[in-house]
Amino acid sequence: MTYTNYHSHCYFCDGKDSPEVYIQQAIQLGMPTYGVSSHAPLPYKLPWPMKEIDSERYVAEIEQLKKKYAGQIEVYRGLEVDFIPKVAGPSWVEDKFSLDYTIGSVHFVDFFADGHPWEIDGRHQVFLKGLQEIFANDIEAAIQRYYSLIRQMVRDDPPNIIGHLDKIKIQSEEGKLFDEHAEWYREEISKTLDTIADAGLIVEVNTRGMYKQLTNEPYPSYWILERMRERNIPITLNSDAHHPREIISHFVEVTERLKTIGYEQLRILYQGAWQDMQLTKDGVSL
Ligand SMILES: [Zn+2]
Ligand SMILES: [Zn+2]
């Protein structure tokens, strides 16, 4: 198999093992390249980001693994970076970590009265609390704010890859809180995709919701991928692995669907550059 994956956590953040264990697993799977992307440090009390104090060790450890496994697999050093206006964003960490690439994700929308940011992809109870306290239970306003933050990131502090574009949908199991086919939601997606297409950024197809049994479709949903295809937005296939067994979870099934949608290529980081490679049934053809 020649799959690639650039969205991968490890023990520097909330992943299970050392980066080396994931890389060894990727070699086993025949992967030509692999990207490690821990959660970048954040100035809040949270259990999942990397601790600021571990920054240098992260850089050194990935550097050493690049050398150790050269000839077997290309290893890239990335970070999944939160976009929070005036607090965090891809450009805040690029140089400090001498990164090969960044994944920009919005996990937080605005703030509670005590100054703590509202996490939208965590526990549903926390989601409901923020929805009430910050948006007076106006789900449409909250979702519009989420997508407006993604557009702001794309315009003002663009990453290489947009992380799990529509992850906020996990809060609306079976469409209980909102319907992703409602006119206003489609309009929001359409505006966001136009902004991404203008900026020429890559959107990841992220399978984590599927193997965590939170969603039947990847982030973003297949109907959004159809709209992306019409706009020629490049994609890469990522698993957002927190455990080594998750590295290519659901890739075969999702690849098949991507081809049906009309995606013939994946954009991958290979030999030091982002390149469009032909999508085959079990990876890319190099
Ligand atoms: Zn994330
Ligand atoms: Zn992640």
Side-chain angles (χ1 to χ4, degrees), residues 51-66:
K51 293 189 173 55
E52 190 74 50
I53 196 169
D54 290 330
S55 305
E56 280 176 28
R57 202 160 59 84
Y58 182 72
V59 175
E61 195 161 320
I62 309 295
E63 200 58 33
Q64 183 249 328
L65 293 168
K66 284 183 185 216

Side-chain angles (χ1 to χ4, degrees), residues 1-3 29 207 210 222 237 247-260 279-283:
M1 278 191 273
T2 48
Y3 281 119
L29 290 166
T207 58
M210 301 173 85
Y222 291 125
L237 181 55
I247 286 175
I248 58 163
S249 275
H250 287 260
F251 275 20
V252 173
E253 164 192 348
V254 170
T255 295
E256 210 169 290
R257 198 64 188 266
L258 288 173
K259 288 174 89 64
T260 312
L279 182 61
T280 67
K281 66 179 187 345
D282 53 6

Side-chain angles (χ1 to χ4, degrees), residues 13 53 75 121 144 160 201-202 219 225 234 246 257 271 277 279:
C13 52
I53 196 169
V75 175
D121 76 339
Q144 282 166 340
N160 295 99
L201 303 186
I202 303 164
Y219 313 121
L225 281 157
E246 298 166 347
R257 198 64 188 266
Q271 297 180 334
M277 294 291 186
L279 182 61

Side-chain angles (χ1 to χ4, degrees), residues 4 9 13 16 44-45 128 198 232 246 263:
T4 56
H9 298 278
C13 52
K16 170 116 180 86
Y44 302 108
K45 214 169 139 23
L128 293 179
D198 281 347
N232 285 318
E246 298 166 347
Y263 269 106

